[in-house]
């Protein structure tokens, strides 16, 4: 995860818009039909504070999501490694954090994607950083 700016100020309108776009349904209000995942894209030129805005959002709403995952999407291999690194944090998984090969990262990533797709499991937040 990137370094956090200690003196983040302002951007309330953008933070509120992210919340309106991404807030998960309250558990007691969830319907029996599957929930579509919500997506918000923060884009712009480098250095304008996109990452810091999203860090602030994640910190402000950490109790509103069951899990928050930060993924590096620099390229496919980095994204697979980043996605596979989530596996030890999932319920019922071993805490093995040893370095892994690309083939194993692909398999672990598939396992993570299966967990994300479980019925009733829609209150998580994934942040993809460094997507160009």
């Amino acid at each position: 995860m990137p370094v956090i700016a200690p003196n983040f100020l302002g951007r309330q309108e953008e933070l509120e818009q992210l919340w309106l776009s991404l807030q998960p349904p309250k558990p007691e209000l969830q319907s029996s039909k599957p929930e579509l995942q919500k997506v918000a894209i923060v884009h712009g030129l480098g250095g304008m504070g996109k990452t810091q805005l999203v860090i602030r959002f994640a910190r402000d709403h950490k109790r509103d999501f069951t899990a928050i995952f930060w993924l590096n999407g620099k390229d496919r291999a980095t994204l697979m490694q980043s996605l596979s690194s989530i596996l030890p944090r999932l319920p019922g998984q071993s805490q093995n954090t040893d370095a892994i090969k690309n083939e194993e990262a692909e398999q672990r990533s598939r396992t993570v994607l299966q967990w994300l797709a479980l019925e009733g499991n829609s209150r998580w937040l994934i942040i993809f950083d460094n997507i160009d």
Side-chain angles (χ1 to χ4, degrees), residues 64-132:
D64 297 310
F65 297 97
T66 55
I68 298 176
F69 304 112
W70 193 278
L71 303 178
N72 185 342
K74 182 179 95 175
D75 55 44
R76 186 179 193 286
T78 304
L79 181 57
M80 286 296 115
Q81 286 289 336
S82 191
L83 187 59
S84 73
S85 72
I86 293 173
L87 188 62
R89 297 172 51 196
L90 300 183
Q93 299 296 323
S94 72
Q95 299 301 310
N96 182 3
T97 57
D98 296 341
I100 56 172
K101 297 178 182 157
N102 285 345
E103 303 82 36
E104 189 178 352
E106 295 257 352
Q107 178 55 45
R108 289 173 60 152
S109 295
R110 278 193 286 282
T111 302
V112 170
L113 292 173
Q114 289 170 347
W115 180 84
L116 293 170
L118 289 174
E119 188 174 333
N121 183 26
S122 61
R123 295 183 54 84
W124 43 261
L125 174 66
I126 292 182
I127 300 164
F128 293 91
D129 199 11
N130 298 319
I131 303 284
D132 291 326

Side-chain angles (χ1 to χ4, degrees), residues 3 24 31-32 40 59 62 84 86 105 107:
V3 176
S31 67
S32 58
R59 289 175 62 130
K62 64 184 173 192
S84 73
I86 293 173
Q107 178 55 45

